[in-house]
Amino acid sequence: MISQEQPKPFISALGLDFGRKRIGVAGCDRTGLIATGITTIERTSFEQDVEQIRQIVNEREVQILVMGLPYSMDGSLGFQARQVQKFTTRLAKALKLPVEYIDERLTSFQAEQLLIAENRSPSRHKGLIDRKAAALILQQWLDVKRASSRSSVAAIEY
């Protein structure tokens, strides 16, 4: 008997690194394996921020938003994390999309280190840092999803 493989489900998620001045945006390939930075949105007003994100959501057929949540080093939610949650709640409602949060501690630092490794100045490439941080956030989410789907498949096989 020839077994037919089930087509892999298509994943379209948008990773967001929210900041006071900019929002880093990342997307993933259709297989959900690789996250890449797409753009950096210079924040102006909530309405304009939403409109720019909406365009990307429509172009990429986004199904879920993955928002970096800046926990404090002790694991608590500070002022900035509450600001992110407030913005995200409004954004999810405006776009009618579900949201998942990922702990984004140190993603901006990691993004800066990546720039330094590329011999680029972090102070001159703030937008690129935000974009890379968004990609790190989304990649972390994709990796967690893939690991949990593999472990549930392994559990079914036994």
Side-chain angles (χ1 to χ4, degrees):
M1 185 169 139
I2 299 169
S3 69
Q4 285 193 301
E5 272 190 51
Q6 291 294 316
K8 294 237 186 252
F10 138 92
I11 295 174
S12 187
L14 205 62
L16 300 170
D17 179 44
F18 176 82
R20 282 190 316 239
K21 295 179 182 177
R22 290 174 301 277
I23 301 170
V25 182
C28 59
D29 64 343
R30 299 248 187 239
T31 64
L33 289 175
I34 300 166
T36 51
I38 298 173
T39 189
T40 303
I41 295 170
E42 296 292 331
R43 298 203 48 219
T44 51
S45 68
F46 178 76
E47 291 72 26
Q48 277 195 294
D49 297 346
V50 169
E51 204 39 55
Q52 289 185 68
I53 295 169
R54 185 187 314 278
Q55 286 176 354
I56 297 166
V57 162
N58 292 340
E59 283 169 17
R60 298 180 72 89
E61 300 173 30
V62 171
Q63 302 159 320
I64 188 166
L65 302 174
V66 179
M67 182 65 80
L69 194 59
Y71 286 89
S72 300
M73 285 315 225
D74 67 3
S76 65
L77 292 177
F79 175 77
Q80 186 59 26
R82 287 191 295 278
Q83 295 302 107
V84 168
Q85 288 175 319
K86 248 188 255 182
F87 175 84
T88 305
T89 301
R90 291 177 67 200
L91 179 65
K93 197 175 192 177
L95 298 174
K96 296 176 179 64
L97 282 174
V99 175
E100 286 193 27
Y101 290 100
I102 281 286
D103 181 352
E104 72 153 30
R105 280 180 281 193
L106 302 177
T107 54
S108 292
F109 174 77
Q110 289 173 308
E112 282 185 30
Q113 295 306 304
L114 289 170
L115 276 187
I116 290 167
E118 295 170 5
N119 289 324
R120 292 183 178 184
S121 163
S123 61
R124 288 203 199 119
H125 296 90
K126 296 286 188 196
L128 188 54
I129 290 171
D130 297 327
R131 204 160 45 241
K132 282 183 180 283
L136 289 166
I137 289 163
L138 184 56
Q139 189 65 58
Q140 187 180 337
W141 181 82
L142 292 169
D143 293 346
V144 167
K145 284 278 175 224
R146 201 167 43 255
S148 67
S149 73
R150 268 202 309 262
S151 64
S152 64
V153 166
I156 292 168
E157 289 175 359
Y158 289 103

